[in-house]
Amino acid sequence: RLSQIYNELKEGWFLFLSAAMICIFGNIGVTILTYSVDSDSIGAFSAIHKISYVMNVLFIALSKALFPYISASFAKSQHNGLSKIKKTMFPIVSVFLLLSIFLSLLRNPLVNLLFGEEYTGFAFLVIPFAFQVVFAIINNFLGIQSLVGNGYQKEYSSAISVGMVSIVIFNLILIN
């Protein structure tokens, strides 16, 4: 029993590491901002970030539902798995891309409605936050759904590690 637990932990280590890094580094912007901007700006950043957070939560639920379906396709063959990814990725990315465009176009009234007029000066943040979700969805399909679904957890974890370190470095450079 203990060896089975150890094997499960060992097998899932790279996925755990990837998920932990995404959670930690995906929200590092606020932490880095505390060293360079005032608390009002940090509050506005955090508030407006919640718009894209809702989009992300919607996709995470969808992604968790898709993963077993796509993984089963990869179990049949790599070609079958890639075919399922192509069939599901395009419509989902298209919907979230249209949502991002819609949110970007209506960012001022949206921010005013959700957070008040004092936040509309920061409404421009809706644009990068919304489109970041689209890139995260593409990453999910190309990374989690295809690499992990095809048994390449270690490679996915390595790619995520490089990406997360890059995010921290770019945040430090661009904010200062």
Side-chain angles (χ1 to χ4, degrees):
R1 272 200 179 270
L2 196 55
S3 64
Q4 185 181 3
I5 293 171
Y6 173 76
N7 286 336
E8 290 292 328
L9 289 173
K10 185 178 173 185
E11 189 174 315
W13 173 250
F14 293 109
L15 289 178
F16 165 76
L17 189 62
S18 300
M21 282 191 289
I22 289 169
C23 287
I24 292 167
F25 292 118
N27 294 306
I28 201 148
V30 172
T31 304
I32 292 173
L33 282 175
T34 60
Y35 297 108
S36 59
V37 299
D38 60 78
S39 59
D40 289 342
S41 297
I42 294 169
F45 178 95
S46 297
I48 293 171
H49 186 263
K50 292 190 182 346
I51 296 169
S52 63
Y53 181 76
V54 170
M55 290 173 59
N56 204 27
V57 166
L58 291 172
F59 178 72
I60 288 171
L62 184 59
S63 172
K64 288 180 187 270
L66 287 173
F67 186 75
Y69 169 72
I70 292 174
S71 291
S73 297
F74 273 112
K76 293 175 186 172
S77 75
Q78 185 175 6
H79 175 75
N80 199 0
L82 292 173
S83 177
K84 291 291 182 204
I85 285 177
K86 287 177 188 175
K87 287 179 184 175
T88 56
M89 183 176 161
F90 180 75
I92 292 171
V93 169
S94 297
V95 166
F96 278 88
L97 181 60
L98 289 172
L99 180 60
S100 296
I101 292 168
F102 179 74
L103 291 173
S104 296
L105 292 174
L106 296 176
R107 66 187 175 275
N108 288 328
L110 179 67
V111 168
N112 187 31
L113 175 71
L114 294 174
F115 308 114
E117 191 174 331
E118 62 272 14
Y119 286 91
T120 56
F122 296 94
F124 67 93
L125 291 172
V126 170
I127 298 169
F129 287 156
F131 286 98
Q132 176 271 331
V133 173
V134 174
F135 287 114
I137 291 169
I138 294 168
N139 171 62
N140 178 278
F141 278 106
L142 298 179
I144 294 172
Q145 302 291 343
S146 64
L147 289 176
V148 174
N150 207 14
Y152 294 105
Q153 293 90 332
K154 186 175 181 180
E155 290 79 359
Y156 176 71
S157 182
S158 296
I160 288 294
S161 298
V162 170
M164 294 303 121
V165 169
S166 299
I167 286 172
V168 172
I169 291 169
F170 285 125
N171 270 287
L172 291 171
I173 291 168
L174 295 173
I175 290 174
N176 290 320

